[in-house]
Amino acid sequence: MQNSSLSPQRRSYLDSLESEAIHVFREVVSQFRRPVMLYSIGKDSSVLLHLARKAFHPGSIPFPLLHIDTTWKFKEMIEFRDRICAELGLDLLVHTNLEGLAAQINPFDHGSQTYTDIMKTDALKQALTRGNHDAAFGGARRDEERSRAKERIFSFRDSNHRWDPKNQRPELWNLYNGKVSDGESIRVFPISNWTELDVWHYIHLENIEIVPLYLAAPRPIVEREQNLIMVDDARFPLRPKEQPRTRSVRFRTLGCYPLSGAIESIASTVPEVIQEMLLDRHSERQGRIIDHDQLASMEEKKREGYF
Amino acid sequence: MFESDPLIESDIDAYLDQRVRKDLVRFITCGSVDDGKSTLIGRLLHDSQLIADDHLETLKTDSQRRTGTDDIDLSLVTDGLKAEREQGITIDVAYQYFSTRHRNFIIADTPGHEQYTRNMATGASTADLAVILIDARKGVVQQTRRHSYLAALLGVKHIVIAVNKMDLVDYSEQRYLEIVAEYTEYSANLNIESLEYIPLSALHGDNVVESSEVMPWFVGPTLIDYLNAVEVAVPISTNEFRLPVQLVLRSGADFRGYAGSITSGQIHRGDRVTVLPSGVSSTVQRIVTFDGDLDMASAGDAIAVTLGDEIDMSRGDLLVKEGENVELDTSIAATIIWMADKPLDLGEQLILQSHNGTANVRVDTVRYLLDVNTGQKAKATALQLNEIAECSISADRKLLFESYESNRAGGSFILINRISNSTVAAGMIAGPLSPWDQAPKDSLEVQDSEIGALERQLRYRQRPCTVLLTGLTGAGKSSIATALERCLFDRGNSTVRLDGENVRLGISKDLGFTAVDRSENLRRVAEIAHLMNSQGLIAIAALLAPQAEARARARQLVGADQWVEVFLDTPLSVCRSRDTTGLYEAADRGDIEEFPGVSATYEAPEDADLRLDTSDMTVDRCVEVIVTLLKEKGFIHE
């Protein structure tokens, strides 16, 4: 950010975080042969993309973006993805687990756990293996969930993409060990040290474009088990007597629409979202249905290769 | 993350404007397993109202499951991984985030386990500050010393001692003062910039966020007040500008930017800079960022610069202010923390990674093991998990570096195993390896003589030794050495005389008179004396040799049982009056730098075999005394 040069003695918090992330991006491009950036189209991915542009300016981003398309993403997300990639001239790779698709795996009939395993985790592993990627950027943050608090910025994965929380490389100063053997890889988290508030604040300050679903608008909603689910297309199997109602909602996190819980809101600008978020007292992943399955569920998904 | 500023509700834009100006403080928390560290962090977050409601719910469920009561176990806030949570311990570095109205904080929570030195070092490597917990009932224990030592070793400038569990000592001021006195005495030898003590109870919240009502005798800040106020910013000096090049950015046909993060100092557009190691200079043409060019950038900024001249520069090169220099050497002396289960294999090939890129290296020698509990050094040859040692390392190329003490980024490195690719050690550079410590090349072997030491003794009728005559310029070293040589020769002994001045005419003609060069001159003389002794000859070395450390190394090299140290302890005034060549006057004028007795110290030997004051002894008398000693020691016959 431009104001960084005004206060050399005391650097502002977001400047420090931004510089740290840029440093990580540059380090990966120097150390790896085939890096790729996981692009989920969410707000963290948007921040990641913005930071990547900064890291290599005035050059272009020297690696492709990878989107794991489960085919159940919000329509607006896919539109947003295609438009942003076209506008910025980005190299976008899209991967879908075709076996899963052929078996018609979906979140309604197979449950969130099985669906996520096959259409997200397996798909991701397939794409990383096929692309022979030795490094993959992700937008995970240590504040998201308790098992993430111990995650490294350079997180080693074996040739099965598995994470071993007991056997992580020590990470000192800002010297990142990117050495891997064939088939092994590193997941890289440039915004590890950011909080949800930092991400939103940065989006606001830098005027970063995000999918409009993050802002409140009238949307067709059904309520199930206290989750507000948006009926994004005709594939949504409505139960008897179930009718979508138009409600003013927004999403805290975006993924597959049947698994993304909305919250009632009238916050239609980024500062208003921040305000609501700070006045509300629930954490970010509450709207993500997969997490309710079990205690520390994220840790298990991470061990298996989920981001 | 949750914050409780009233501005959030009344004026979110004003709140965000204010938040932009907050700075960042990184700190580590360290304590023994039962010191209540996790509870303290939980208390900080809880009392600052930073725990989300659903997290609080999960905590209540977890707490009930574990303790069977409705009280929230605040220690669970920071326990991350499931397996560890079930064992009730934290075993790795976990990062927590919280903020106050003034600042944002990153906490690296590091465990108190004996075997986890590596985690503590990891957390400390990026920390501005360390919070060290002491259990008020136990006082300063081994782990307190360990954590303090590691924090100081890693260069953490500020330490706050949180005397916890005050509730269990009846909030006793006397007990608190005992602990303060105990720690103050212990820490006097550590390199800590600022030290603060706070008595608190994490369990009940006293002096964590809120001032304690039950400890009215304590007038200092609460922990949170201290964290909000402590000044961690480093003053920036322009000469310290360092930009290690991470990568070269190209765009179009013309743009060639050197990208990296400035590790110290400051740079302005138009400044003259030098590229190291090539030494080529140029001018900073642009400081490029995505948000536009800058006129100036400083430590912490991730930027790219373009230079006025076409220069060959790549990853690992260092950009500094013109005229500045850093060390460039293949051998380094460093303190390393071993972090792998498998012990260090001396001589095994490792990869060293630093801001200077990577190099193939090997650890040649482990000299001292540092005891983190006592701060003592012990001789060692091996290095195991969680041990810390002073080592010599040699690389297959010249490394650019600085001492860790003078520049954290320039002096830090990690060591990587070439087969497993894992990070096996973290290192802090002390400086270039002294020639005393350099290991000879692997391929070299001793070519043995056919003549045995005993045969030589019988032939020369003497046992070989090295006599060092040390003292100030004008003390009479050369005169006594010459007379001693004559006397021994006349007695039928076989000698070799090594005069400091003579060796400088030949074998040491490349050396000057700095402390480093004097040390090297002594090393060369000692090596020659050692060779001569092995051939059966008695060596007489006449050398100023002002440094105790260098004399000790020479004694070690030659062998203590063959070493005779004679200190010519003559008053400086007498030495000056004898000086006919004007050396002292030249030193007074500053024409000669680092001149012992004038502008450098002569460290008088404390363990000399003989001390002779030549102001009231003749040369012959001195020789007589030395010869008597050599007879007594059995080097020469009666």
Side-chain angles (χ1 to χ4, degrees):
Chain A
M1 274 162 280
Q2 262 171 327
N3 63 6
S4 66
S5 61
L6 299 176
S7 52
Q9 309 282 319
R10 266 168 178 269
R11 311 189 71 246
S12 108
Y13 181 58
L14 284 167
D15 286 335
S16 301
L17 293 178
E18 181 190 68
S19 296
E20 180 180 75
I22 289 174
H23 183 85
V24 170
F25 269 111
R26 289 171 170 174
E27 203 56 25
V28 169
V29 165
S30 298
Q31 290 195 37
F32 293 86
R33 289 173 295 109
R34 290 181 63 81
V36 66
M37 185 178 123
L38 268 292
Y39 181 66
S40 73
I41 325 177
K43 65 181 195 309
D44 301 288
S45 280
S46 295
V47 165
L48 218 52
L49 178 59
H50 188 73
L51 291 164
R53 293 173 66 200
K54 288 199 172 197
F56 305 104
H57 173 85
S60 49
I61 297 177
F63 44 77
L65 274 56
L66 170 65
H67 179 227
I68 300 301
D69 192 350
T70 58
T71 72
W72 288 96
K73 300 293 172 190
F74 290 92
K75 288 195 299 282
E76 277 181 85
M77 290 173 73
I78 302 298
E79 284 161 19
F80 180 88
R81 175 195 77 186
D82 292 343
R83 181 170 60 76
I84 293 289
C85 288
E87 278 174 14
L88 299 177
L90 302 172
D91 180 6
L92 174 72
L93 310 171
V94 177
H95 179 81
T96 300
N97 183 350
L98 294 177
E99 293 120 64
L101 198 65
Q104 295 188 311
I105 302 295
N106 69 73
F108 300 106
D109 301 327
H110 301 91
S112 66
Q113 175 88 45
T114 307
Y115 164 77
T116 303
D117 285 351
I118 296 173
M119 296 308 286
K120 290 173 86 171
T121 309
D122 288 354
L124 174 63
K125 292 198 255 184
Q126 285 168 357
L128 292 177
T129 304
R130 283 178 202 171
N132 199 14
H133 296 295
D134 51 359
F137 293 102
R141 309 186 316 269
R142 286 173 179 151
D143 81 318
E144 276 178 68
E145 198 269 340
R146 284 186 292 173
S147 81
R148 296 244 197 237
K150 295 165 194 227
E151 183 66 280
R152 304 296 193 255
I153 289 177
F154 270 41
S155 181
F156 177 78
R157 300 300 148 104
D158 66 18
S159 52
N160 296 315
H161 304 282
R162 292 180 77 92
W163 179 63
D164 180 0
K166 299 271 182 212
N167 190 22
Q168 300 195 78
R169 292 177 179 177
E171 202 162 75
L172 292 99
W173 299 288
N174 59 349
L175 298 173
Y176 302 106
N177 174 1
K179 295 268 183 305
V180 288
S181 299
D182 278 352
E184 297 170 345
S185 62
I186 302 278
R187 301 275 173 95
V188 184
F189 305 111
I191 58 169
S192 275
N193 283 323
W194 298 44
T195 63
E196 186 186 14
L197 177 56
D198 297 328
V199 167
W200 279 112
H201 198 174
Y202 190 70
I203 287 170
H204 174 57
L205 282 175
E206 298 279 308
N207 211 7
I208 299 170
E209 208 181 334
I210 50 172
V211 181
L213 291 163
Y214 283 112
L215 304 176
R219 297 187 169 100
I221 296 295
V222 296
E223 187 168 342
R224 285 185 179 177
E225 289 90 37
Q226 295 174 327
N227 290 307
L228 304 182
I229 308 295
M230 179 169 154
V231 181
D232 197 44
D233 58 38
R235 290 180 294 175
F236 193 98
L238 289 170
R239 292 171 184 168
K241 291 188 194 167
E242 205 173 42
Q243 268 302 331
R245 283 177 46 211
T246 301
R247 291 164 80 165
S248 178
V249 297
R250 63 179 173 87
F251 294 85
R252 286 183 79 165
T253 60
L254 290 179
C256 302
Y257 82 82
L259 296 179
S260 297
I263 51 172
E264 298 230 66
S265 167
I266 50 163
S268 59
T269 66
V270 171
E272 284 169 7
V273 169
I274 295 174
Q275 187 175 37
E276 252 186 31
M277 182 181 90
L278 289 174
L279 295 175
D280 178 40
R281 300 200 40 87
H282 288 88
S283 68
E284 179 183 20
R285 286 191 166 265
Q286 207 191 25
R288 212 175 264 192
I289 293 167
I290 56 169
D291 280 1
H292 296 308
D293 290 350
Q294 62 195 122
L295 194 72
S297 60
M298 185 58 66
E299 183 188 332
E300 273 159 29
K301 295 202 186 322
K302 269 158 56 79
R303 282 173 189 259
E304 286 156 17
Y306 181 71
F307 246 83
Chain B
M1 169 180 290
F2 297 88
E3 308 198 2
S4 46
D5 192 315
L7 266 183
I8 293 169
E9 194 156 9
S10 60
D11 188 346
I12 186 69
D13 291 322
Y15 165 77
L16 292 172
D17 282 351
Q18 177 189 292
R19 186 174 187 273
V20 161
R21 288 190 293 274
K22 288 187 193 182
D23 64 351
L24 173 62
V25 175
R26 296 174 194 247
F27 69 92
I28 46 168
T29 50
C30 6
S32 313
V33 184
D34 302 319
D35 290 342
K37 175 164 56 78
S38 297
T39 307
L40 177 64
I41 297 170
R43 172 62 66 185
L44 268 178
L45 301 181
H46 182 267
D47 286 12
S48 312
Q49 299 183 308
L50 296 169
I51 303 176
D53 287 350
D54 56 333
H55 277 180
L56 218 50
E57 282 305 314
T58 316
L59 285 175
K60 279 181 189 159
T61 317
D62 285 5
S63 302
Q64 271 170 350
R65 188 176 305 168
R66 283 204 356 183
T67 61
T69 70
D70 283 344
D71 294 336
I72 297 179
D73 181 352
L74 287 172
S75 73
L76 295 178
V77 173
T78 59
D79 274 2
L81 297 178
K82 198 173 168 183
E84 294 160 31
R85 222 168 44 234
E86 277 158 11
Q87 287 167 34
I89 48 167
T90 318
I91 62 160
D92 204 309
V93 188
Y95 295 89
Q96 303 289 331
Y97 303 82
F98 82 102
S99 64
T100 64
R101 210 165 290 177
H102 310 280
R103 278 186 158 161
N104 288 297
F105 296 94
I106 300 178
I107 311 175
D109 181 20
T110 59
H113 280 266
E114 188 130 332
Q115 63 270 44
Y116 287 102
T117 294
R118 77 174 206 177
N119 297 334
M120 157 100 198
T122 302
S125 74
T126 51
D128 301 306
L129 181 152
V131 177
I132 296 176
L133 275 94
I134 292 181
D135 184 330
R137 294 169 302 174
K138 297 177 187 160
V140 177
V141 296
Q142 198 178 70
Q143 296 214 43
T144 316
R145 290 189 282 269
R146 171 195 307 271
H147 294 142
S148 306
Y149 183 85
L150 281 170
L153 182 72
L154 269 294
V156 178
K157 297 268 183 285
H158 309 274
I159 288 185
V160 53
I161 299 296
V163 181
N164 191 25
K165 303 200 180 181
M166 287 301 290
D167 49 315
L168 297 181
V169 295
D170 298 328
Y171 299 102
S172 157
E173 180 178 17
Q174 197 199 332
R175 179 63 189 138
Y176 167 73
L177 292 174
E178 280 166 20
I179 291 170
V180 169
E182 198 183 353
Y183 190 85
T184 306
E185 190 190 339
Y186 158 72
S187 64
N189 295 324
L190 296 178
N191 185 17
I192 302 169
E193 204 163 278
S194 80
L195 189 56
E196 186 83 28
Y197 299 91
I198 303 172
L200 50 85
S201 164
L203 191 65
H204 299 292
D206 297 278
N207 286 337
V208 179
V209 173
E210 303 294 331
S211 277
S212 172
E213 286 173 10
V214 285
M215 287 182 277
W217 45 265
F218 181 69
V219 292
T222 64
L223 180 58
I224 202 80
D225 288 342
Y226 170 80
L227 292 173
N228 275 328
V230 63
E231 179 59 79
V232 295
V234 183
I236 285 179
S237 127
T238 50
N239 288 340
E240 291 166 352
F241 168 70
R242 304 281 186 270
L243 176 66
V245 175
Q246 268 186 295
L247 80 167
V248 181
L249 293 178
R250 289 167 202 279
S251 176
D254 301 326
F255 185 86
R256 199 178 156 82
Y258 302 101
S261 304
I262 300 176
T263 55
S264 57
Q266 198 169 74
I267 190 75
H268 294 81
R269 177 162 49 198
D271 281 353
R272 292 288 294 167
V273 287
T274 299
V275 180
L276 298 176
S278 73
V280 179
S281 292
S282 185
T283 305
V284 173
Q285 202 174 46
R286 295 174 60 197
I287 302 171
V288 181
T289 77
F290 181 85
D291 301 293
D293 282 11
L294 303 175
D295 289 327
M296 182 273 285
S298 52
D301 289 334
I303 49 147
V305 298
T306 65
L307 301 179
D309 306 272
E310 279 196 20
I311 287 177
D312 185 30
M313 197 167 158
S314 54
R315 176 172 169 84
D317 286 352
L318 184 69
L319 205 60
V320 298
K321 275 277 165 68
E322 187 170 40
E324 284 285 302
N325 217 335
V326 304
E327 303 285 354
L328 182 67
D329 213 312
T330 51
S331 302
I332 53 173
T335 300
I336 67 176
I337 303 170
W338 196 253
M339 298 180 159
D341 292 330
K342 189 173 158 286
L344 165 72
D345 220 345
L346 273 188
E348 98 186 273
Q349 285 279 338
L350 296 163
I351 298 165
L352 179 147
Q353 184 178 336
S354 70
H355 288 295
N356 183 224
T358 56
N360 294 316
V361 301
R362 57 173 205 196
V363 179
D364 293 312
T365 52
V366 174
R367 290 214 305 283
Y368 298 104
L369 219 53
L370 307 181
D371 185 330
V372 293
N373 300 315
T374 61
Q376 302 286 312
K377 292 181 183 183
K379 288 268 184 201
T381 50
L383 186 58
Q384 307 195 20
L385 177 65
N386 287 314
E387 288 184 338
I388 304 173
E390 288 181 7
C391 299
S392 331
I393 294 174
S394 58
D396 66 352
R397 67 166 173 92
K398 285 190 172 176
L399 303 169
L400 271 179
F401 61 88
E402 295 178 75
S403 75
Y404 188 75
E405 200 176 349
S406 67
N407 190 309
R408 226 163 151 174
S412 49
F413 64 86
I414 55 173
L415 295 178
I416 299 168
N417 182 294
R418 281 170 24 133
I419 296 156
S420 70
N421 291 320
S422 54
T423 303
V424 293
M428 291 150 286
I429 298 175
L433 190 63
S434 143
W436 292 100
D437 293 318
Q438 274 170 30
K441 295 273 174 293
D442 261 351
S443 54
L444 302 176
E445 282 173 27
V446 177
Q447 302 298 315
D448 288 321
S449 174
E450 282 190 10
I451 306 163
L454 201 59
E455 281 183 82
R456 294 182 198 275
Q457 282 185 26
L458 292 171
R459 162 70 62 87
Y460 294 126
R461 296 172 39 77
Q462 65 186 29
R463 279 179 52 228
C465 65
T466 296
V467 179
L468 173 71
L469 299 161
T470 170
L472 290 169
T473 299
K477 301 183 293 291
S478 294
S479 312
I480 294 170
T482 316
L484 177 62
E485 179 189 35
R486 164 53 69 189
C487 171
L488 291 175
F489 184 82
D490 290 349
R491 293 178 82 264
N493 292 114
S494 301
T495 61
V496 56
R497 183 171 57 92
L498 301 164
D499 190 284
E501 206 156 336
N502 292 355
V503 292
R504 283 178 176 281
L505 290 169
I507 197 164
S508 289
K509 65 183 173 188
D510 56 324
L511 299 179
F513 293 88
T514 60
V516 171
D517 282 359
R518 284 187 189 277
S519 167
E520 172 61 8
N521 196 37
L522 176 59
R523 188 188 70 84
R524 293 181 189 180
V525 167
E527 289 283 8
I528 297 168
H530 180 55
L531 281 174
M532 295 303 157
N533 286 168
S534 71
Q535 308 288 305
L537 304 178
I538 290 173
I540 302 163
L543 236 78
L544 209 150
Q547 301 134 317
E549 159 88 22
R551 288 193 304 262
R553 302 299 294 259
R555 175 194 296 264
Q556 198 183 354
L557 195 159
V558 167
D561 55 346
Q562 300 197 118
W563 182 259
V564 180
E565 195 166 304
V566 181
F567 171 29
L568 304 185
D569 187 8
T570 307
L572 180 60
S573 55
V574 177
C575 293
R576 272 182 171 273
S577 68
R578 288 176 183 166
D579 176 25
T580 51
T581 50
L583 283 173
Y584 280 100
E585 282 166 30
D588 290 338
R589 286 192 307 270
D591 293 348
I592 308 175
E593 286 176 29
E594 298 187 42
F595 192 77
V598 179
S599 46
T601 315
Y602 176 82
E603 297 164 7
E606 284 170 3
D607 51 357
D609 297 276
L610 275 179
R611 195 184 63 80
L612 307 174
D613 181 350
T614 64
S615 61
D616 57 6
M617 287 172 82
T618 62
V619 170
D620 288 347
R621 175 69 191 136
C622 291
V623 169
E624 209 179 302
V625 175
I626 296 169
V627 167
T628 305
L629 178 70
L630 293 180
K631 286 178 187 166
E632 281 171 16
K633 285 181 173 280
F635 294 117
I636 56 177
H637 292 290
E638 286 297 329

